[in-house]
Amino acid sequence: MSVPTQLWAVCKYPNPDSGNTWYYVDPDETTWRKGWIYSGNVKVGSGTIPNR
């Protein structure tokens, strides 16, 4: 299921052991909680994602 929403990436964590990248996101103005999301589930709409 896809739920499009705007998220603000606070930081990212590249995991060298698995090769995966995770983002810590803040879903501004929603009832969702802040937390980590796998980069494969994110599409960057504009701007850049901070390194940490």
Side-chain angles (χ1 to χ4, degrees), residues 27-48:
D28 194 32
E29 299 180 13
T30 69
T31 58
W32 295 16
R33 291 178 276 164
K34 297 177 184 179
W36 291 96
I37 187 167
Y38 171 61
S39 62
N41 294 325
V42 175
K43 177 182 175 188
V44 177
S46 66
T48 60

Side-chain angles (χ1 to χ4, degrees), residues 2-35:
S2 176
V3 182
T5 191
Q6 183 171 344
L7 301 171
W8 301 102
V10 177
C11 67
K12 75 177 179 181
Y13 174 73
N15 184 334
D17 295 333
S18 66
N20 295 330
T21 299
W22 292 82
Y23 302 122
Y24 189 78
V25 296
D26 181 356
D28 194 32
E29 299 180 13
T30 69
T31 58
W32 295 16
R33 291 178 276 164
K34 297 177 184 179

